[in-house]
Amino acid sequence: MYDLKPFLEYVKEVNPGEEKFHQAVKEVFGDIIPYIKDKPEYENAAILERLSEPDRMIRFRVTWQDDDKNIHVNRAWRVQFNNSIGPYKGGLRFHPTVNEDVLKFLGFEQIFKNALTNLPIGGAKGGSDFDPKGKSDDEIFRFCKNLMMELHRYIGDDTDIPAGDIGVGKREISYLFGQYKKLTNRFTGTITGKDIDFGGSLIRTEATGYGLIYFVSNMLEEKNEVLKGKKVLISGSGNVAIYACEKAIELGAKVITLSDSDGMIYDKEGVDEEKLAFVKELKEVRRGRIREYAEEFDCEYREGENPWSVKCDIALPCATENEISDEDAQKLLDNGVKLVAEGANMPCMDKASQLFRKSDIQYAPGKASNAGGVAVSGLEIAQNKIRLQWTAERVDDKLREIMKDIHDQCKNYGTNGEDSIDYVKGANIAGFEKVANAMLAFGPI
Ligand code: NDP
Ligand code: 2IT
């Protein structure tokens, strides 16, 4: 019979040193193993061993030239983790911390997240250790072009469909898509997150952040509560953070923090529409630092700090993995946080996540609460296949519907006792069931 401890020993032995990947496997299989205790068919088919081994990992060199004609070499990867329920799907990340460990944890999480959307998409992730910070548009173009020279062989609209993630936004997706189109001489939906003028979906830019807030509203509804009037901490100031902030403000919440890797702003008055427009211009156009917000609007800036020591009702980590330590989690709980929902992937360290699960607060894992981005990517694939563009209203309605459905799957599989929902357990089991049952149906391949 599967047992978590020896299974994790096995995962560590075959994936040495990959601590984030171990953390993600532990978090998922910690719920799956008790669930399949009386279902020997999964162990007989070695489902957990197969699920924790990527189908395929591609690693390649990207050579590029900077504006001073110096030549640089970076590594890039695509981890095609599991395509049991649809073509591989997941973002590309450009960040100096990217390595096989990071991409395996992200690709593994993506399998279950994508299954929760109920769309036909498998799990993948990719990216490079290239650092886009401080690079000119020309340098970004040359890097993206050369990356795609290699990547195009392994992707396709029915094979593997990349999208954005940290460091990969509209600009990078445009360069990547343009080059893919040129190399293949085919206009297909092989990349999502495209501009609306060339095959993108309305609401994709907003989808992860909006989806997160729809999910939070569903959670609050369980407690007969609403977002209006709640004090909200958001970390990060990138794609997910900006649009989570936008929707939260629209629904009457008071967002009092934002951050980047240098520090955080604490705006006691709350971010309003005008201030958010400044952040969009700062981050999406000028690519500046969040410190400038404090200078512009005369509020507090704390260099080198994250938002988690500020008193709040709701905390939404939207920057990166392991950004909430156990000390941060304890501080949030001591300060009376009522709800934590993850916009980023695995933003809570293992112990922080355990602290939230043991407490009586509501706590949603990223694979459920940030699935809105990939869900609208799935809708973009559908629109590309039929060569139509749906209205923003239609996509937004569908996004709300998908987030509600994910919420209800978490509730169905995660209800503990009468009124307490373990969203982590619910998301893990609901995502696992679909993928594992498809794998069983295919036989041992
Ligand atoms: P962006 O690149 O747009 O923004 C990332 C933000 O997080 C920036 O403010 C960045 O600050 C900060 N950040 C990144 N790395 C670190 C770090 N090591 N320490 C502190 N701050 C950091 O990325 P996204 O908003 O797209 O992604 C944010 C998170 O959401 C990631 O975990 C991603 O995997 C996840 N996600 C994204 C989806 C999407 O559709 N984009 C979908 C689902 C999840 P700085 O600029 O200083 O680096
Ligand atoms: O982590 C994620 O879900 C994403 N970065 C979005 C993936 C996608 O394919 O839209």
Side-chain angles (χ1 to χ4, degrees):
M1 208 160 50
Y2 279 130
D3 188 356
L4 185 62
K5 217 167 162 231
F7 191 84
L8 288 176
E9 289 309 316
Y10 154 78
V11 171
K12 286 179 187 170
E13 198 182 308
V14 295
N15 304 280
E18 297 183 343
E19 286 174 16
K20 290 177 183 173
F21 181 56
H22 305 160
Q23 183 184 340
V25 171
K26 178 179 175 210
E27 194 251 300
V28 175
F29 289 175
D31 288 320
I32 300 307
I33 288 175
Y35 176 69
I36 60 175
K37 180 164 82 328
D38 304 324
K39 304 177 178 69
E41 61 273 24
Y42 294 110
E43 183 163 11
N44 293 341
I47 290 291
L48 300 194
E49 289 83 347
R50 288 159 61 192
L51 257 177
S52 52
E53 188 67 28
D55 288 351
R56 188 176 303 106
M57 286 178 61
I58 299 136
R59 190 186 99 182
F60 50 96
R61 168 173 52 80
V62 182
T63 307
W64 60 280
Q65 195 170 35
D66 66 25
D67 291 341
D68 298 322
K69 304 248 183 293
N70 299 307
I71 306 290
H72 300 266
V73 171
N74 282 92
R75 278 187 178 168
W77 294 262
R78 188 69 181 165
V79 179
Q80 297 180 333
F81 222 116
N82 189 298
N83 68 351
S84 298
I85 62 166
Y88 302 109
K89 177 90 195 89
L92 293 171
R93 177 180 290 192
F94 292 171
H95 196 273
T97 56
V98 166
N99 57 30
E100 288 178 17
D101 178 20
V102 169
L103 296 179
K104 278 166 73 176
F105 113 66
L106 288 163
F108 180 75
E109 284 285 291
Q110 200 82 41
I111 304 171
F112 308 101
K113 181 196 311 197
N114 293 3
L116 285 168
T117 67
N118 272 335
L119 297 169
I121 39 183
K125 203 81 189 191
S128 174
D129 56 8
F130 172 74
D131 186 358
K133 271 203 197 89
K135 305 288 190 298
S136 69
D137 286 351
D138 285 348
E139 289 171 331
I140 298 285
F141 170 73
R142 287 195 290 273
F143 179 78
C144 289
K145 178 174 166 234
N146 289 354
L147 181 134
M148 190 51 81
M149 293 284 276
E150 191 68 28
L151 184 65
H152 83 278
R153 304 173 212 280
Y154 310 106
I155 60 177
D157 57 336
D158 286 322
T159 311
D160 183 354
I161 302 124
D165 192 79
I166 291 178
V168 178
K170 272 269 159 66
R171 174 182 59 169
E172 292 74 18
I173 292 291
S174 303
Y175 291 154
L176 290 164
F177 180 72
Q179 184 65 10
Y180 181 78
K181 181 176 69 60
K182 186 129 191 106
L183 287 165
T184 58
N185 195 25
R186 294 181 72 224
F187 198 107
T188 62
T190 298
I191 300 180
T192 61
K194 299 182 290 298
D195 196 273
I196 46 167
D197 293 335
F198 46 85
S201 176
L202 289 159
I203 308 293
R204 175 61 188 91
T205 304
E206 296 85 352
T208 314
Y210 281 17
L212 173 65
I213 300 303
Y214 297 154
F215 197 90
V216 167
S217 299
N218 294 147
M219 292 170 82
L220 288 169
E221 219 172 276
E222 288 294 318
K223 302 271 180 198
N224 296 317
E225 289 271 1
V226 289
L227 205 53
K228 192 161 192 276
K230 297 282 187 298
K231 270 193 188 170
V232 178
L233 308 182
I234 293 181
S235 66
S237 47
N239 175 266
V240 181
I242 287 174
Y243 293 96
C245 183
E246 181 164 282
K247 186 55 75 176
I249 297 172
E250 191 189 311
L251 297 181
K254 193 168 182 183
V255 176
I256 51 178
T257 66
L258 289 170
S259 69
D260 61 21
S261 55
D262 291 341
M264 68 104 159
I265 58 108
Y266 176 22
D267 185 347
K268 290 193 177 83
E269 307 302 316
V271 182
D272 59 19
E273 270 178 39
E274 183 205 328
K275 293 172 180 174
L276 189 63
F278 174 88
V279 177
K280 283 188 193 174
E281 207 266 334
L282 175 71
K283 289 292 177 180
E284 294 176 350
V285 184
R286 284 197 289 125
R287 300 173 198 281
R289 311 307 300 158
I290 201 67
R291 181 194 318 109
E292 292 178 45
Y293 178 107
E295 290 156 10
E296 181 76 15
F297 301 112
D298 195 24
C299 76
E300 208 179 312
Y301 173 68
R302 297 185 188 167
E303 178 85 18
E305 281 190 34
N306 65 34
W308 315 127
S309 57
V310 177
K311 195 172 160 53
C312 69
D313 303 304
I314 294 176
L316 305 176
C318 296
T320 194
E321 63 267 14
N322 289 338
E323 58 171 312
I324 300 188
S325 66
D326 37 337
E327 290 88 18
D328 294 328
Q330 194 55 57
K331 237 180 293 167
L332 282 164
L333 291 169
D334 292 345
N335 277 337
V337 72
K338 296 283 186 316
L339 187 154
V340 177
E342 299 179 346
N345 287 308
M346 207 170 75
C348 296
M349 286 181 176
D350 183 30
K351 281 197 179 135
S353 169
Q354 286 176 31
L355 274 172
F356 290 145
R357 285 182 80 172
K358 269 188 259 152
S359 74
D360 58 2
I361 70 160
Q362 293 182 290
Y363 169 50
K367 67 172 73 63
S369 48
N370 76 30
V374 77
V376 174
S377 277
L379 303 180
E380 184 172 330
I381 297 173
Q383 293 169 76
N384 290 166
K385 285 280 183 203
I386 56 172
R387 303 211 186 277
L388 284 177
Q389 190 167 69
W390 297 340
T391 61
E393 197 185 15
R394 181 168 175 189
V395 179
D396 197 28
D397 285 349
K398 192 77 192 144
L399 172 62
R400 282 176 208 266
E401 211 179 278
I402 292 172
M403 297 315 292
K404 173 80 171 98
D405 184 65
I406 297 175
H407 178 274
D408 293 349
Q409 291 177 63
C410 293
K411 189 172 167 179
N412 284 344
Y413 285 95
T415 299
N416 284 339
E418 274 300 288
D419 62 358
S420 138
I421 303 173
D422 182 343
Y423 286 88
V424 179
K425 177 177 155 197
N428 284 336
I429 296 176
F432 168 83
E433 269 240 320
K434 279 170 226 172
V435 179
N437 290 345
M439 290 169 78
L440 282 182
F442 297 145
I445 51 171

Short mmCIF file of all heavy atoms in Angstrom, two decimals, residues 205-206 210 237-238 242-243 245-246 258 273-288 290 293:
data_model
loop_
_atom_site.label_atom_id
_atom_site.label_comp_id
_atom_site.label_asym_id
_atom_site.label_seq_id
_atom_site.Cartn_x
_atom_site.Cartn_y
_atom_site.Cartn_z
N THR A 205 -5.62 38.84 -20.37
CA THR A 205 -4.68 39.62 -19.56
C THR A 205 -5.18 39.71 -18.11
O THR A 205 -4.40 39.60 -17.16
CB THR A 205 -4.54 41.05 -20.14
OG1 THR A 205 -4.15 40.94 -21.50
CG2 THR A 205 -3.52 41.88 -19.39
N GLU A 206 -6.48 39.89 -17.96
CA GLU A 206 -7.06 40.10 -16.63
C GLU A 206 -7.35 38.78 -15.90
O GLU A 206 -7.62 38.76 -14.69
CB GLU A 206 -8.40 40.86 -16.75
CG GLU A 206 -8.31 42.26 -17.32
CD GLU A 206 -8.33 42.32 -18.86
OE1 GLU A 206 -8.26 41.26 -19.51
OE2 GLU A 206 -8.41 43.44 -19.41
N TYR A 210 -8.58 38.44 -12.02
CA TYR A 210 -10.04 38.47 -11.88
C TYR A 210 -10.54 37.12 -11.33
O TYR A 210 -11.38 37.07 -10.42
CB TYR A 210 -10.73 38.72 -13.23
CG TYR A 210 -10.75 40.16 -13.72
CD1 TYR A 210 -9.91 41.13 -13.19
CD2 TYR A 210 -11.64 40.54 -14.72
CE1 TYR A 210 -9.94 42.44 -13.66
CE2 TYR A 210 -11.69 41.86 -15.20
CZ TYR A 210 -10.83 42.79 -14.66
OH TYR A 210 -10.88 44.08 -15.13
N SER A 237 3.47 43.02 -8.13
CA SER A 237 2.85 44.14 -8.85
C SER A 237 2.94 43.84 -10.34
O SER A 237 3.06 44.73 -11.17
CB SER A 237 3.54 45.46 -8.52
OG SER A 237 4.94 45.32 -8.61
N GLY A 238 2.87 42.53 -10.67
CA GLY A 238 2.89 42.09 -12.05
C GLY A 238 1.49 41.78 -12.54
O GLY A 238 0.50 42.31 -12.01
N ILE A 242 -1.83 43.02 -10.39
CA ILE A 242 -2.52 44.21 -10.91
C ILE A 242 -4.01 43.94 -11.13
O ILE A 242 -4.87 44.72 -10.71
CB ILE A 242 -1.86 44.69 -12.23
CG1 ILE A 242 -0.50 45.34 -11.93
CG2 ILE A 242 -2.76 45.67 -12.99
CD1 ILE A 242 0.31 45.72 -13.17
N TYR A 243 -4.31 42.79 -11.76
CA TYR A 243 -5.72 42.56 -12.08
C TYR A 243 -6.52 41.99 -10.91
O TYR A 243 -7.74 42.14 -10.85
CB TYR A 243 -5.83 41.76 -13.39
CG TYR A 243 -5.32 42.63 -14.52
CD1 TYR A 243 -4.01 42.54 -14.98
CD2 TYR A 243 -6.11 43.65 -15.04
CE1 TYR A 243 -3.50 43.40 -15.95
CE2 TYR A 243 -5.62 44.52 -16.01
CZ TYR A 243 -4.32 44.39 -16.46
OH TYR A 243 -3.84 45.27 -17.40
N CYS A 245 -5.97 43.25 -7.96
CA CYS A 245 -6.21 44.55 -7.31
C CYS A 245 -7.38 45.25 -8.00
O CYS A 245 -8.29 45.77 -7.32
CB CYS A 245 -4.93 45.37 -7.39
SG CYS A 245 -5.02 46.95 -6.57
N GLU A 246 -7.38 45.26 -9.32
CA GLU A 246 -8.44 45.96 -10.07
C GLU A 246 -9.82 45.42 -9.71
O GLU A 246 -10.76 46.18 -9.41
CB GLU A 246 -8.18 45.80 -11.58
CG GLU A 246 -9.20 46.50 -12.46
CD GLU A 246 -8.69 46.63 -13.89
OE1 GLU A 246 -7.87 47.52 -14.15
OE2 GLU A 246 -9.11 45.83 -14.75
N LEU A 258 1.15 46.50 -2.13
CA LEU A 258 1.64 45.89 -3.37
C LEU A 258 3.15 45.77 -3.16
O LEU A 258 3.70 46.44 -2.26
CB LEU A 258 1.35 46.77 -4.58
CG LEU A 258 -0.11 46.89 -5.05
CD1 LEU A 258 -0.24 48.00 -6.10
CD2 LEU A 258 -0.65 45.57 -5.62
N GLU A 273 -8.58 53.61 -8.39
CA GLU A 273 -8.46 53.42 -9.84
C GLU A 273 -7.32 54.24 -10.43
O GLU A 273 -6.58 53.75 -11.29
CB GLU A 273 -9.76 53.82 -10.53
CG GLU A 273 -10.73 52.68 -10.67
CD GLU A 273 -12.02 53.12 -11.32
OE1 GLU A 273 -11.97 53.92 -12.27
OE2 GLU A 273 -13.08 52.66 -10.85
N GLU A 274 -7.20 55.47 -9.96
CA GLU A 274 -6.16 56.36 -10.51
C GLU A 274 -4.76 55.84 -10.15
O GLU A 274 -3.86 55.81 -10.99
CB GLU A 274 -6.38 57.77 -9.93
CG GLU A 274 -5.43 58.80 -10.47
CD GLU A 274 -5.24 59.97 -9.49
OE1 GLU A 274 -6.18 60.30 -8.76
OE2 GLU A 274 -4.12 60.52 -9.47
N LYS A 275 -4.62 55.40 -8.91
CA LYS A 275 -3.33 54.88 -8.47
C LYS A 275 -3.00 53.59 -9.22
O LYS A 275 -1.84 53.33 -9.56
CB LYS A 275 -3.33 54.63 -6.96
CG LYS A 275 -3.45 55.92 -6.13
CD LYS A 275 -3.64 55.55 -4.67
CE LYS A 275 -3.77 56.77 -3.79
NZ LYS A 275 -4.10 56.39 -2.40
N LEU A 276 -4.02 52.79 -9.47
CA LEU A 276 -3.78 51.53 -10.19
C LEU A 276 -3.38 51.81 -11.65
O LEU A 276 -2.53 51.10 -12.20
CB LEU A 276 -5.02 50.63 -10.14
CG LEU A 276 -4.78 49.22 -10.67
CD1 LEU A 276 -3.74 48.46 -9.83
CD2 LEU A 276 -6.07 48.41 -10.72
N ALA A 277 -3.96 52.85 -12.24
CA ALA A 277 -3.57 53.22 -13.61
C ALA A 277 -2.09 53.57 -13.63
O ALA A 277 -1.35 53.23 -14.56
CB ALA A 277 -4.41 54.38 -14.10
N PHE A 278 -1.63 54.23 -12.54
CA PHE A 278 -0.20 54.57 -12.43
C PHE A 278 0.63 53.28 -12.37
O PHE A 278 1.67 53.16 -13.03
CB PHE A 278 0.02 55.43 -11.17
CG PHE A 278 1.46 55.71 -10.87
CD1 PHE A 278 2.11 56.80 -11.44
CD2 PHE A 278 2.18 54.88 -10.00
CE1 PHE A 278 3.45 57.06 -11.16
CE2 PHE A 278 3.52 55.13 -9.73
CZ PHE A 278 4.16 56.23 -10.31
N VAL A 279 0.17 52.31 -11.58
CA VAL A 279 0.92 51.04 -11.44
C VAL A 279 0.99 50.32 -12.79
O VAL A 279 2.04 49.78 -13.17
CB VAL A 279 0.28 50.12 -10.38
CG1 VAL A 279 1.02 48.78 -10.29
CG2 VAL A 279 0.28 50.79 -9.01
N LYS A 280 -0.12 50.32 -13.53
CA LYS A 280 -0.12 49.65 -14.85
C LYS A 280 0.92 50.28 -15.76
O LYS A 280 1.68 49.59 -16.42
CB LYS A 280 -1.51 49.77 -15.51
CG LYS A 280 -2.53 48.82 -14.94
CD LYS A 280 -3.80 48.89 -15.79
CE LYS A 280 -4.94 48.20 -15.10
NZ LYS A 280 -6.22 48.35 -15.80
N GLU A 281 0.92 51.60 -15.79
CA GLU A 281 1.88 52.30 -16.66
C GLU A 281 3.31 52.03 -16.17
O GLU A 281 4.22 51.75 -16.96
CB GLU A 281 1.54 53.80 -16.63
CG GLU A 281 1.96 54.55 -17.89
CD GLU A 281 3.34 55.17 -17.75
OE1 GLU A 281 3.76 55.46 -16.61
OE2 GLU A 281 4.00 55.35 -18.78
N LEU A 282 3.48 52.07 -14.85
CA LEU A 282 4.80 51.85 -14.24
C LEU A 282 5.34 50.46 -14.59
O LEU A 282 6.50 50.30 -14.97
CB LEU A 282 4.68 51.99 -12.71
CG LEU A 282 5.92 51.67 -11.87
CD1 LEU A 282 6.98 52.76 -12.05
CD2 LEU A 282 5.57 51.53 -10.39
N LYS A 283 4.49 49.45 -14.44
CA LYS A 283 4.97 48.07 -14.57
C LYS A 283 4.84 47.53 -15.99
O LYS A 283 5.69 46.77 -16.44
CB LYS A 283 4.20 47.17 -13.60
CG LYS A 283 4.57 47.40 -12.14
CD LYS A 283 6.01 46.94 -11.88
CE LYS A 283 6.45 47.23 -10.46
NZ LYS A 283 7.85 46.78 -10.21
N GLU A 284 3.76 47.88 -16.70
CA GLU A 284 3.53 47.28 -18.01
C GLU A 284 4.23 48.06 -19.12
O GLU A 284 4.55 47.51 -20.16
CB GLU A 284 2.03 47.18 -18.31
CG GLU A 284 1.30 46.21 -17.37
CD GLU A 284 -0.22 46.18 -17.58
OE1 GLU A 284 -0.75 47.03 -18.32
OE2 GLU A 284 -0.86 45.29 -17.00
N VAL A 285 4.47 49.37 -18.91
CA VAL A 285 5.08 50.18 -19.97
C VAL A 285 6.51 50.59 -19.60
O VAL A 285 7.47 50.25 -20.28
CB VAL A 285 4.22 51.43 -20.27
CG1 VAL A 285 4.81 52.22 -21.43
CG2 VAL A 285 2.77 51.05 -20.56
N ARG A 286 6.66 51.27 -18.46
CA ARG A 286 7.99 51.79 -18.10
C ARG A 286 8.88 50.75 -17.44
O ARG A 286 10.07 50.91 -17.32
CB ARG A 286 7.82 52.99 -17.15
CG ARG A 286 7.39 54.25 -17.89
CD ARG A 286 7.64 55.47 -17.02
NE ARG A 286 6.72 55.56 -15.89
CZ ARG A 286 7.10 55.67 -14.62
NH1 ARG A 286 8.37 55.69 -14.30
NH2 ARG A 286 6.19 55.77 -13.64
N ARG A 287 8.29 49.67 -16.93
CA ARG A 287 9.03 48.60 -16.26
C ARG A 287 9.88 49.16 -15.11
O ARG A 287 11.06 48.83 -14.94
CB ARG A 287 9.89 47.81 -17.27
CG ARG A 287 9.03 47.18 -18.36
CD ARG A 287 9.80 46.54 -19.49
NE ARG A 287 8.91 46.36 -20.65
CZ ARG A 287 8.01 45.41 -20.80
NH1 ARG A 287 7.86 44.50 -19.87
NH2 ARG A 287 7.24 45.36 -21.87
N GLY A 288 9.22 50.02 -14.30
CA GLY A 288 9.90 50.66 -13.16
C GLY A 288 9.70 49.88 -11.88
O GLY A 288 9.21 48.75 -11.87
N ILE A 290 8.31 49.54 -7.73
CA ILE A 290 7.10 49.91 -6.96
C ILE A 290 7.39 51.08 -6.01
O ILE A 290 6.47 51.81 -5.60
CB ILE A 290 6.52 48.68 -6.22
CG1 ILE A 290 5.04 48.89 -5.86
CG2 ILE A 290 7.32 48.31 -4.98
CD1 ILE A 290 4.09 48.97 -7.00
N TYR A 293 5.70 54.34 -6.61
CA TYR A 293 4.31 54.54 -6.17
C TYR A 293 4.29 55.36 -4.89
O TYR A 293 3.51 56.31 -4.74
CB TYR A 293 3.66 53.17 -5.94
CG TYR A 293 2.22 53.20 -5.42
CD1 TYR A 293 1.17 52.87 -6.27
CD2 TYR A 293 1.92 53.52 -4.10
CE1 TYR A 293 -0.14 52.86 -5.81
CE2 TYR A 293 0.62 53.53 -3.63
CZ TYR A 293 -0.40 53.19 -4.49
OH TYR A 293 -1.70 53.20 -4.03
#
